[in-house]
Amino acid sequence: MQPRPPLEAIPATILAAADYLSRAADHLPSATLAWLEGGSGAELTLRANRDAFAGERIIPRLLVDMTRGHTRLSVLGQTLEHPVLLAPLGHMSLLHPAGEIGVAQAAAATDSGMITSTLASCPLEQIADATTAPRWFQLYFQRHRKQTLELLRRAERAGFNAIVVTLDAPLQPPSRRAQLAAFQAPTAPALASLSAVQEQQQVFLEPGQSRLLQGMMSEAPTWADLQWLLEETSLPVLIKGVMHPDDAVALKAAGVAGIVVSNHGGRALDSAPATLQMLPAVRRAVGDDYPVLLDGGIHSGSDVFKALARGADAVLIGRLQASALAVAGALGVAHMLQLLREELELCMALAGTPTLADIRPDCLYGEYRC
């Protein structure tokens, strides 16, 4: 069956943010859908992210005055109207002709923070111009520092408010689901954020050396690269892909402004634990006042609530964002964000938490389990 074009109006049957996930299949080619929905390996981590949220329970509270309630917060000195940011996703023109521009328009309409990917299919300058909400740029280290610096300077000139460096995928494990569907990702020269063709440099291996360890990983960033980057910009730098408390402590000591607890949405190391499982340990390690965000498995406002209760300041949404874009473009993303925020507010009202600061671990049943 041929995929249908994106909708120009929101169907009355979409009643929850998660409804967009099941509707994306109607609007995408099968290979693109496999790429969007798949994870690495046997998809153990992909499933673990969802299972972790499903295992948490929120405790209702009584007689709490909610009339002064709100969802505002401050991260990196920037005011956010709610704790849901649009995660960095590449190749979004595969999902809708508007690509990241449509996502930016939705961010502007809903006062939502947006993180633009290095692998964006639209020029990062145009994406920045399409929203007045907080906008951050996600940076992958390039083969040479000169190329990395070019991307950094473009983001600074375009008016991005922070840099989010992804470090958990120096190697991108293949998605079996995408491979079986014969999905082909756009090549680097076709990506709008990469203004020049990336140089191809062959790595010559000695007999007995590994194609992965001495080959591909020879180009992976190091602590020296991160320190160089921190010295090159006055913007706050966050690190995405943190899962171990020791890494979180070391990054904080190095001068990183904040971290994103992430397992790359189940697209990196398969068998990694769920992000929600590691979040409390990371939060304890860095203390209460250090910015900690989380992504991986957020499908509803109750998921957002659970992440905040376990220690996150805010969350990132990826596949949910992509599915809404595929279904109805910018309108779909804006509608999904509105639903997600209202679902969060409903949880807050019934759990007796007027503000985000009131959402604590003791809001969850696990804190009382004997």
Side-chain angles (χ1 to χ4, degrees):
M1 186 178 69
Q2 290 294 319
R4 304 172 192 168
L7 300 172
E8 296 182 0
I10 302 300
T13 53
I14 293 184
L15 303 176
D19 290 341
Y20 278 102
L21 294 166
S22 59
R23 297 294 291 268
D26 297 334
H27 302 276
L28 294 175
S30 58
T32 303
L33 183 68
W35 160 74
L36 173 61
E37 294 184 342
S40 61
E43 300 186 347
L44 300 175
T45 298
L46 179 66
R47 292 192 293 272
N49 280 342
R50 287 300 305 142
D51 291 345
F53 282 104
E56 294 281 11
R57 295 292 181 268
I58 302 168
I59 304 173
R61 297 298 302 272
L62 308 176
L63 303 175
V64 178
D65 181 4
M66 296 294 297
T67 57
R68 296 183 183 274
H70 63 82
T71 59
R72 288 188 302 278
L73 70 156
S74 178
V75 179
L76 305 178
Q78 303 170 38
T79 298
L80 302 174
E81 291 301 315
H82 58 86
V84 179
L85 290 88
L86 295 157
L89 297 175
H91 315 306
M92 297 197 77
S93 64
L94 294 174
L95 308 174
H96 188 279
E100 293 82 4
I101 300 296
V103 175
Q105 292 168 341
T110 57
D111 293 316
S112 302
M114 176 184 179
I115 308 175
T116 296
S117 172
T118 292
L119 303 180
S121 49
C122 302
L124 61 91
E125 293 83 1
Q126 293 180 20
I127 299 168
D129 287 344
T131 180
T132 55
R135 49 199 184 273
W136 302 350
F137 181 71
Q138 177 268 333
L139 177 69
Y140 282 115
F141 276 98
Q142 301 300 297
R143 187 183 301 274
H144 301 296
R145 285 186 176 183
K146 179 181 178 181
Q147 297 164 339
T148 303
L149 189 60
E150 177 192 351
L151 277 171
L152 177 64
R153 295 291 180 251
R154 285 182 64 191
E156 292 171 336
R157 291 193 298 268
F160 285 91
N161 311 121
I163 303 297
V164 181
V165 181
T166 298
L167 291 180
D168 62 336
L171 298 178
Q172 185 69 62
S175 163
R176 294 180 188 171
R177 201 187 309 194
Q179 285 181 309
L180 290 172
F183 172 76
Q184 294 292 326
T187 57
L191 299 172
S193 290
L194 301 176
S195 61
V197 175
Q198 302 298 291
E199 297 177 33
Q200 298 298 313
Q201 179 175 319
Q202 186 175 358
V203 177
F204 295 96
L205 299 177
E206 300 293 334
Q209 288 187 321
S210 164
R211 179 175 65 90
L212 296 177
L213 300 181
Q214 286 79 38
M216 296 180 182
M217 285 299 292
S218 67
E219 299 174 358
T222 65
W223 281 100
D225 294 311
L226 176 59
Q227 194 58 53
W228 165 80
L229 184 73
L230 293 172
E231 294 170 358
E232 285 290 341
T233 185
S234 60
L235 292 177
V237 174
L238 298 91
I239 299 301
K240 182 174 182 289
V242 182
M243 288 288 284
H244 198 290
D246 290 352
D247 288 335
V249 170
L251 290 165
K252 180 181 178 181
V256 169
I259 57 176
V260 182
V261 177
S262 171
N263 53 32
H264 218 70
R267 294 179 184 271
L269 175 61
D270 199 27
S271 290
T275 53
L276 191 66
Q277 292 174 315
M278 294 306 302
L279 176 60
V282 171
R283 169 54 77 192
R284 288 192 298 270
V286 297
D288 294 336
D289 298 328
Y290 188 67
V292 176
L293 289 73
L294 174 137
D295 81 352
I298 300 285
H299 286 183
S300 67
S302 61
D303 292 340
V304 178
F305 186 100
K306 293 169 185 178
L308 301 184
R310 285 298 178 206
D313 293 303
V315 303
L316 279 56
I317 54 170
R319 287 180 175 89
L320 194 55
Q321 166 199 169
S323 297
L325 182 70
V327 172
L331 178 63
V333 178
H335 181 238
M336 177 274 298
L337 286 165
Q338 178 186 357
L339 290 173
L340 205 58
R341 182 173 179 177
E342 290 176 353
E343 291 168 8
L344 171 61
E345 291 175 347
L346 177 62
C347 282
M348 293 171 66
L350 297 179
T353 54
T355 70
L356 302 183
D358 298 310
I359 303 176
R360 299 183 295 268
D362 61 6
C363 293
L364 301 180
Y365 167 67
E367 294 298 299
Y368 300 92
R369 190 178 301 154
C370 296

